[in-house]
Amino acid sequence: MKYGQFCPVAKTAEILGEKWTILIIRELLMGATRFNQIQRGLNLISPTLLSSRLDKLEDLGLVIKKKSPALKGHEYFSTKSCRDLLPIIKMMGEWGMLWTFSNVTNKDYDMELLMLYLERSVATDHLPDGETTIKFKFVDLQQNANWWIVVQDGKKDLCIKDPGKEVDVYITTDVKTMIDVWMGEASYRAAEKNGEMKIIGHKLLTQKINSWLKDSVFKGLPTASNI
């Protein structure tokens, strides 16, 4: 995409204005390094298009591609120019919360993205030593209704199949309620009181869920309907 202008806004738009590029950068800045990790946060993108976008970001100096010494394939790492986009990405999210969040529909409730965000939101340093397993059950889904997050030695593993671990916390709800709570539109306690969510497990974990399952960074931001 070329605009034929020397304006720095136009030159930036030539890089960031292509479909998926901003969201690929979002995933890189959130810590994704493997191809499948990036794709997991962008479930509608084709592998071919993702590969093409990553190659272009590498050519432009926003990404460094390295062969993984421990795993097959490559890993992708953000450069300083890519990391300098973090404040812009955050500002886009803040603008989106203010002016576009009211446009969210049921079609936008991406289950895989929600679980990816919840996995990233687990603060491992606020969990007990040893292994902790959290099970999520979504009552409004017929397929992929059960998910597990297993934390061990500071590492997190998101599972769609039963890992066979002893579950420490059970969270039963629907997708919209989980998103609303994580985004700060509702609280865990209010959702429980309204019968929209059940949280069962070790009291140490269930009573202080906000300490180890962090909210979205956009929690508390106003929306256009509130100003």
Side-chain angles (χ1 to χ4, degrees):
M1 183 185 302
K2 297 292 182 182
Y3 293 108
Q5 296 184 345
F6 65 84
C7 170
V9 175
K11 301 310 293 180
T12 301
E14 288 179 358
I15 299 173
L16 303 182
E18 288 191 312
K19 187 176 181 180
W20 293 110
T21 296
I22 283 287
L23 298 186
I24 293 170
I25 290 172
R26 178 197 71 189
E27 291 305 299
L28 290 166
L29 295 177
M30 292 299 103
T33 59
R34 301 281 296 172
F35 188 92
N36 63 341
Q37 290 176 334
I38 300 169
Q39 189 176 27
R40 195 171 69 174
L42 310 167
N43 69 328
L44 293 182
I45 195 172
S46 71
T48 301
L49 183 56
L50 176 56
S51 180
S52 174
R53 291 288 189 266
L54 286 169
D55 287 344
K56 184 171 182 179
L57 290 174
E58 183 184 18
D59 291 340
L60 293 168
L62 277 77
V63 171
I64 293 179
K65 181 180 178 181
K66 295 183 179 181
K67 198 161 188 177
S68 174
L71 303 168
K72 291 182 179 179
H74 295 82
E75 291 183 283
Y76 300 86
F77 299 94
S78 58
T79 63
K80 185 179 185 305
S81 62
C82 183
R83 294 191 296 273
D84 281 350
L85 287 168
L86 182 58
I88 297 173
I89 299 294
K90 286 184 175 179
M91 289 182 68
M92 289 180 68
E94 292 171 3
W95 184 90
M97 281 296 296
L98 180 59
W99 297 110
T100 72
F101 201 66
S102 60
N103 298 331
V104 173
T105 68
N106 290 337
K107 293 182 179 180
D108 296 318
Y109 292 145
D110 184 337
M111 187 68 244
E112 289 193 32
L113 183 63
L114 169 62
M115 292 310 304
L116 180 61
Y117 277 151
L118 291 176
E119 178 194 17
R120 290 172 177 171
S121 298
V122 173
T124 58
D125 56 332
H126 286 263
L127 290 173
D129 292 338
E131 187 176 82
T132 302
T133 301
I134 306 105
K135 181 181 179 180
F136 296 82
K137 180 176 181 179
F138 296 96
V139 297
D140 55 330
L141 297 181
Q142 293 185 344
Q143 295 182 334
N144 297 336
N146 297 295
W147 296 74
W148 294 260
I149 298 176
V150 180
V151 181
Q152 186 173 24
D153 299 327
K155 295 181 179 179
K156 296 175 281 188
D157 188 21
L158 178 62
C159 307
I160 187 60
K161 294 183 179 179
D162 190 344
K165 307 286 187 179
E166 180 181 351
V167 176
D168 299 285
V169 179
Y170 294 85
I171 299 176
T172 304
T173 186
D174 60 81
V175 176
K176 183 179 185 304
T177 297
M178 190 70 244
I179 291 175
D180 286 346
V181 169
W182 183 72
M183 293 291 290
E185 297 295 300
S187 70
Y188 288 101
R189 299 306 167 223
E192 283 189 287
K193 186 177 180 180
N194 294 335
E196 299 169 333
M197 179 179 287
K198 292 181 181 179
I199 305 174
I200 301 172
H202 293 298
K203 188 177 292 186
L204 176 67
L205 299 175
T206 59
Q207 289 187 344
K208 297 183 178 181
I209 189 169
N210 286 108
S211 70
W212 56 265
L213 187 57
K214 300 298 185 181
D215 297 318
S216 165
V217 296
F218 301 114
K219 177 184 177 180
L221 293 176
T223 60
S225 61
N226 295 328
I227 61 173

